[in-house]
Amino acid sequence: MYGELVPVGGGDPIPLHKKRLRIGRREGCDIVLNLANVSGHHCLMEIEEGYWFIRDLKSKNGIKLNNKKILPGVRRRVDPGSIISIAKNNFEVQYEPAALGAYGSPPQDELLDNLFGTSLLDRAGLSRRKAAEEGDAGD
């Protein structure tokens, strides 16, 4: 076993039994959360250098790490004791990095490859607004 997800507020812990786990509502997922607000394939958790990482798989209701939203496609390190929210269902992640092979500094979060390939204006949706305004000016 590679740790467990402990439901915040009570409930049975969910064992993390593989190094790569797909979490979602569908029966084919490694961890099935049969809840209406959980997407079929909601998120992916995997171990790298002894630490768990989580990535949103473009779910409808998203995921949070310690109350901070994680954008789809962005991978974040989940330190021991962190709280992950899967569509508002909260779990404390419990594991021992050293027991999973961790040594030295923890690995860094990894951003989506194209995140830095787009301008801040594009990511904020301002470039589309400007284009729409220019279109209105020609009317």
Side-chain angles (χ1 to χ4, degrees):
M1 191 166 80
Y2 300 98
E4 56 189 9
L5 297 178
V6 179
V8 174
D12 294 331
I14 301 168
L16 303 174
H17 60 302
K18 293 175 15 181
K19 290 183 177 185
R20 187 172 194 265
L21 299 163
R22 186 180 304 251
I23 301 171
R25 196 175 65 241
R26 290 204 179 143
E27 290 299 321
C29 291
D30 300 300
I31 296 176
V32 177
L33 299 176
N34 196 8
L35 303 165
N37 61 349
V38 174
S39 295
H41 294 137
H42 203 96
C43 61
L44 181 70
M45 288 184 67
E46 52 193 343
I47 295 175
E48 180 183 314
E49 297 180 33
Y51 287 85
W52 279 104
F53 283 79
I54 191 166
R55 180 187 314 262
D56 187 343
L57 297 175
K58 298 181 182 176
S59 65
K60 183 176 180 181
N61 291 314
I63 59 174
K64 291 182 180 180
L65 175 62
N66 296 322
N67 288 320
K68 293 181 183 172
K69 184 171 177 55
I70 299 175
L71 296 173
V74 177
R75 186 180 80 138
R76 295 283 186 236
R77 188 180 69 238
V78 181
D79 293 324
S82 293
I83 303 295
I84 59 171
S85 301
I86 301 171
K88 298 186 180 182
N89 303 287
N90 300 318
F91 301 91
E92 181 180 347
V93 183
Q94 297 181 351
Y95 70 101
E96 292 291 330
L100 302 181
Y103 59 91
S105 325
Q108 296 298 309
D109 291 336
E110 202 173 76
L111 296 177
L112 189 63
D113 289 341
N114 69 358
L115 188 62
F116 291 113
T118 58
S119 74
L120 286 172
L121 290 173
D122 287 340
R123 284 188 267 157
L126 297 175
S127 62
R128 281 182 263 171
R129 186 177 306 152
K130 183 178 178 185
E133 289 170 359
E134 288 173 356
D136 291 341
D139 290 337

